[in-house]
Amino acid sequence: MADRPKGYGFTAEAQAKMSAKYDDAVAHEAMAWINDLISEIGEGPINTSGSADNVYEVLEDGYVLCALMKAIEPSSIKTLKRQKLAFKKMENISVFLQAIENYGVAKHDSFQTVDLYERTNLTQVVLSIHALGRKVNSRGGRGIGPKESERQSREWTEEQLKAGQNVIGLQMGSNKGASQAGQSFGKARHIVD
């Protein structure tokens, strides 16, 4: 699989669009955060360069990602083992993805195993790590990025709901004084017998 071209399975145009979205600084921030956390459990250090080549090289077997989850929530990863076989590497990545979903990262913020293993969308991989960092932040841990917003639900009384039914929203437009009799434009046409 190592001899596959970068972005296997995508047209050159689609791969160019995805590569244009990749940001080395954002990736470096994610890699530095990973390095800090996994160092606390005796793993690492890793190269924290934000280049796409480095991110792929460090993360492609899923080991570092599993170590990250073990550092965040030790019970989320049962075994932490470097793998040499392709399907075992993909299994490591899948275990990480399941662990972050269980931790509370939304499915739409996650990447797919092939995005990393086949290097098809490293931008989404980095964005997923940042989503995990925001979730860690919101739970009081040492994460990255801004704190997640909190849901603020509103409670309306029955009286308030009824009052709102009589309001015509501006999106509905205006009839500008028209009536059921219709509007008259210009001169009326008189028909004579």
Side-chain angles (χ1 to χ4, degrees), residues 39-144:
S39 295
E40 292 175 3
I41 63 167
E43 296 294 330
I46 61 169
N47 184 344
T48 60
S49 165
S51 74
D53 290 336
N54 181 61
V55 169
Y56 175 71
E57 208 172 282
V58 171
L59 303 180
E60 67 99 18
D61 66 352
Y63 178 82
V64 171
L65 293 173
C66 287
L68 171 64
M69 250 343 271
K70 192 160 189 70
I72 293 169
E73 190 171 288
S75 64
S76 65
I77 303 292
K78 303 218 182 321
T79 58
L80 190 59
K81 219 167 130 179
R82 288 217 182 263
Q83 302 292 345
K84 296 207 185 299
L85 298 173
F87 75 94
K88 287 291 193 179
K89 291 177 180 181
M90 289 188 281
E91 188 177 296
N92 267 355
I93 297 168
S94 294
V95 166
F96 167 76
L97 292 172
Q98 186 60 53
I100 67 171
E101 187 177 337
N102 293 343
Y103 190 72
V105 174
K107 192 87 168 152
H108 65 267
D109 282 333
S110 191
F111 65 93
Q112 294 182 5
T113 302
V114 295
D115 290 340
L116 174 57
Y117 188 74
E118 293 185 1
R119 196 179 175 166
T120 56
N121 193 352
L122 291 180
T123 303
Q124 188 60 41
V125 172
V126 171
L127 292 176
S128 297
I129 293 168
H130 274 271
L132 175 60
R134 287 191 306 274
K135 184 58 76 177
V136 170
N137 250 351
S138 70
R139 291 186 169 195
R142 195 178 74 206
I144 52 174

